[in-house]
Structure formats: structure tokens, C-alpha cells
Amino acid sequence: MLDAVLRKSVALDEALSQSRAMATLEPRDRAFARMMVATTLRRLGQIDAVIAAFIDKPLPDRAGMIQNILRLSVAQLLLLETPPHAVVDNAVRLCVVVHQQGFKGLVNAVLRRVSLEGKAVFDGAADPALNIPGWLWESWSTAYGAETASAIAAAHLKEPPLDLTVRDNAASWATRLGGEAMPMDTVRLRGAGEITQIDGFADGAWWIQDLAASLPAKLLLSALNSIEGDDTSKKSIVDLCAAPGGKTAQLALSGATVTAVDRSGTRLQRLRENLHRLHLTATIFKADAAKWQPAEQYDAVLLDAPCSATGTIRRHPDIAWNKNPEDVTRLSNLQDRLLEAAAAMLKPGGILVYSVCSLQPEEGPARIEQMLATQKGFERFPFSESEINGLSETITADGDIQTLPSHLAAQGGMDGFFIARLRRGF
């Protein structure tokens, strides 16, 4: 799985689902295997620094699997507190499994030294930039400053908690589940275990959704309520790029008439399953949102656009290593096309909320400035502190929102999201 992520740019979740070996393991062993890979990806720069300290010369290109065996082993020795003899023995045996028997002696010698001397080297390689690709570090330092970039990098090193959006009474559910009531009615759990076994899952009382990911829909509904009063039941909303459906569920729960659009049939099936469990309904279309032309315009449009997802590295550490600047450029062009399409779907006086789970300015503020320059009749509908209780630090000078993984750090952080809200003139 580590080889698939680092050498083939496969997403970790995809590598997990494609692994036949993982399917044969007990749940506890599957969880540990994923933890090994995720921990290695979170600390890859430090781990590689440790390996380099105990190898006289770099490994040849043909030894890529040996490099990954060493990486996983160092993660176990220095971060997961696995017994050294078990780690070394397993690594040596794996050399045979990957048909690299000639490296058994080197692997054995390096890992024995790491078990004795590696902690000091690891602690000495504590530069926060080390575990982030250079292009990302430069981007974040420029956009947010070096201190904040360091805080973002530090947030990525921790396994994130599990956030739930509940149908009602978040405080009560936090008590019931032994969790924490967070801002914006999110319930946060730690060490939750198997999701389907948590109280309320089968009844559709809640769904998994990071606190930051819950904001776009909530803030769209807030705008509708402020304009039209408290009743959204007569409003029509389209959720573009909607799957797997967390935001669709939020909108449907409000009583609005909701349409969900996504181009992926597989992801739409997950959306249908999620809505069924939650006892919620929406009209669903399988279509490319950039080309789809609805029969009527909507009171509101939510566009959670495809993006580089660099705001979710704390949950998906593979993203740091399998995305590049070219991806950001390609996705920015797609975001412009989606915004143009979304604008055409909106009634006069309607509300458009644009969001991306990205930390890259090119995918956030730059896209809104581009839209305002090219789409006449739109203006920002800025966010207020009263709407985002407890998260006022996320409001930008332009009245948009940029959440960072380092926000709410003492409580476990949150994903990085850019959110802008616009209104179409009459």
C-alpha cells in the first residue's frame, strides 16, 4: 500500500480497498496496518532522515520496496512502540517476500542501529517543513506566514478525531456518546471504534462530517433564513458535486427541496445509501455539473468543488505526496467552469456558496475574484461572527472563511476549507 501511494500516486483509501491481503485480516490487524502506513506518510521526511543517517549511500532505484520496508519499520520502532526484535525479524523476512534477498543484511543492520540510536536522530529532524513537500510548504508560508505554516504542519502529525453532524440536540448526543460538543453543533469523538456500532448509527441520528465540512451548508441555510425568514421549506437548493452526501443531508434536513448532482455513479450510490439510512430525500441526477442544464433555476446553489484536498491531509496523509502544482492549476480551471455553470443555475436574488477543502489560495480566493471579474451581477454576501459562533478567527478580511488544520488545535483541529458566499442581483 505504501508503494502504491508513493510510487504510483494511488490514494491511500483506494490502496486499502484494492488490497486483497487486507480483506483477509481481522479488524484489529487491518486497523494496525493502516495505522502503520498513515504514520509513515505523516512523518515521511523525518523517517527518511533517520534512514539516511544509517546508510552509507542511497539505495538504488530498484530497491524501492526495500526503502518502504525500512520506512514502515522505522515508524514501528520510533512511533508505534512495536518490539524491536519483531520489527527487525519481520523486515528481514519481507525482503524475501519482495524478492530482494540481497538486502537482508543491510536491512537487519540498519534497523538494529535505528532501534538503539534512531530516536536521537529522529528528534533532531524536527523541522516542521521536513514532513511537507517543498512546493506545499512554500505555498503555505507565502499565504499564511511561516508560523502558521508550521502550525498546519504540526496539526498533520496527529490522528484526527471523528466528527459527527447530528439531526438535533448536539449537546445531548455529545453526552450520550461520551464526546465533546464543538462549535456549530458538531459532536466530536475520540477512539470511537467501529462506526456502525456507535449508538445512533442504525437509526440515522447522525452522519460523519468534519466540523469544517459542515460549514458550507449551514452557512448557505443561514443566508436563506436571514433573507426569507426562518422557513426554508419552500426553497429549492441544488448541491453540485454532491456525493457522498453529507451536505445534501444537511440541506434536506432543513426541509428545503434539494437536488443532488454528481458525475460518479459509484459515489451517488453511496449518497443514496446515506440518505436512506438518515431517512432523508433528495432528487438525484448523474451528470457533469459543469455541463448539466436544469429545467429551472434554484433559490440557492452549493458548489463544493473538486480540488487538491490539501486541507484534508490530517485525515488523508497520502495527499501531501501524490499531489503537485500541476494538479492545482488543472483543478483551478475546472473550478472556474463549475462556478460559471453554477451562476447560470441561480435565480435572481439567489445565494451561491462555493467551497473547497483546500489550503491553496489558487483554488479559493483567486477563484472568487476571477468569478466576480467575469460574472456580472454577483457580489459577496460576507459571513458574520454571529453566524459562525466560536470560529470568528476563520473569517478573512474579504468576509470569506478559511479554516485551517491548526484552528481549534487544543481540541483536535479541523480540516482546511475555503468558503465564499455570493448573492446574485435582481
Side-chain angles (χ1 to χ4, degrees):
M1 288 188 293
L2 189 62
D3 189 67
V5 171
L6 294 178
R7 294 208 294 168
K8 302 172 186 175
S9 296
V10 176
L12 177 55
D13 286 345
E14 185 179 347
L16 286 164
S17 65
Q18 291 178 350
S19 172
R20 283 185 255 176
M22 283 287 282
T24 68
L25 298 179
E26 295 294 326
R28 181 178 176 181
D29 289 334
R30 282 201 302 272
F32 183 66
R34 188 196 184 284
M35 177 66 74
M36 276 196 289
V37 178
T39 300
T40 301
L41 292 169
R42 291 184 199 283
R43 300 274 190 168
L44 190 63
Q46 285 176 279
I47 288 170
D48 280 353
V50 170
I51 294 171
F54 297 110
I55 292 183
D56 294 332
K57 58 183 180 180
L59 291 168
D61 291 342
R62 64 184 175 84
M65 289 295 274
I66 296 300
Q67 180 82 0
N68 286 333
I69 289 170
L70 288 171
R71 285 165 166 165
L72 289 163
S73 300
V74 171
Q76 291 180 82
L77 288 169
L78 302 183
L79 294 163
L80 300 178
E81 299 182 347
T82 310
H85 69 276
V87 175
V88 176
D89 178 65
N90 191 57
V92 170
R93 288 191 294 107
L94 282 174
C95 293
V96 178
V97 172
V98 300
H99 308 293
Q100 297 277 13
Q101 292 92 327
F103 289 96
K104 287 169 57 178
L106 180 142
V107 167
N108 180 71
V110 168
L111 293 180
R112 289 189 182 280
R113 288 191 64 191
V114 170
S115 68
L116 298 173
E117 309 168 46
K119 188 66 166 60
V121 178
F122 183 84
D123 291 343
D127 182 349
L130 199 58
N131 295 307
I132 299 293
W135 73 275
L136 276 178
W137 179 259
E138 182 178 349
S139 170
W140 299 346
S141 297
T142 300
Y144 309 112
E147 183 177 351
T148 298
S150 295
I152 292 171
H156 290 164
L157 301 181
K158 303 172 184 176
E159 190 74 18
L162 182 72
D163 286 354
L164 308 179
T165 294
V166 297
R167 295 181 69 100
D168 54 39
N169 205 335
S172 175
W173 274 102
T175 301
R176 184 170 173 176
L177 298 177
E180 180 180 3
M182 299 292 288
M184 304 301 289
D185 295 324
T186 288
V187 174
R188 176 159 289 182
L189 306 180
R190 290 175 173 80
E194 175 58 40
I195 302 300
T196 59
Q197 300 305 309
I198 300 174
D199 186 19
F201 174 85
D203 298 327
W206 50 261
W207 57 95
I208 297 171
Q209 190 174 38
D210 186 80
L211 192 162
S214 75
L215 297 179
K218 289 176 180 176
L219 294 171
L220 183 152
L221 294 170
S222 173
L224 288 179
N225 288 336
S226 70
I227 296 170
E228 306 292 349
D230 293 332
D231 184 13
T232 59
S233 62
K234 296 181 180 179
K235 298 303 169 185
S236 61
I237 306 174
V238 61
D239 183 8
L240 302 178
C241 310
K247 298 174 183 65
T248 303
Q250 288 177 276
L251 299 173
L253 187 62
S254 76
T257 300
V258 179
T259 300
V261 180
D262 200 283
R263 65 185 300 176
S264 169
T266 301
R267 286 168 57 83
L268 279 177
Q269 181 56 33
R270 285 182 58 197
L271 184 148
R272 290 187 180 92
E273 292 168 357
N274 287 333
L275 290 181
H276 177 74
R277 179 178 68 83
L278 298 170
H279 311 294
L280 296 170
T281 60
T283 301
I284 298 172
F285 286 96
K286 180 180 181 296
D288 182 344
K291 300 177 182 178
W292 184 62
Q293 295 181 331
E296 298 180 353
Q297 292 177 312
Y298 294 87
D299 295 304
V301 178
L302 175 57
L303 170 58
D304 185 33
C307 67
S308 63
T310 55
T312 68
I313 290 173
R314 61 200 281 271
R315 297 190 184 281
H316 305 285
D318 50 296
I319 286 171
W321 305 105
N322 62 22
K323 292 290 172 67
N324 57 57
E326 290 73 27
D327 290 321
V328 175
T329 299
R330 174 179 56 81
L331 288 161
S332 296
N333 292 331
L334 172 60
Q335 290 150 10
D336 284 342
R337 297 198 302 274
L338 287 165
L339 277 166
E340 181 179 1
M345 298 177 196
L346 198 61
K347 291 179 181 179
I351 301 297
L352 168 62
V353 169
Y354 169 79
S355 65
V356 283
C357 55
S358 173
L359 297 174
Q360 310 316 115
E362 303 94 323
E363 298 183 271
R367 302 283 52 81
I368 296 304
E369 295 305 324
Q370 172 70 13
M371 179 181 176
L372 291 174
T374 57
Q375 292 286 334
K376 303 306 179 184
F378 281 84
E379 62 180 5
R380 274 189 169 91
F381 192 141
F383 300 107
S384 66
E385 292 189 12
S386 62
E387 290 181 278
I388 193 152
N389 183 37
L391 295 171
S392 58
E393 65 180 326
T394 67
I395 300 178
T396 72
D398 290 324
D400 303 326
I401 284 176
Q402 179 68 70
T403 66
L404 302 174
S406 51
H407 287 149
L408 300 178
Q411 296 164 280
M414 61 197 302
D415 285 351
F417 259 78
F418 172 82
I419 310 166
R421 187 171 60 190
L422 307 176
R423 189 176 187 185
R424 183 176 185 177
F426 290 93

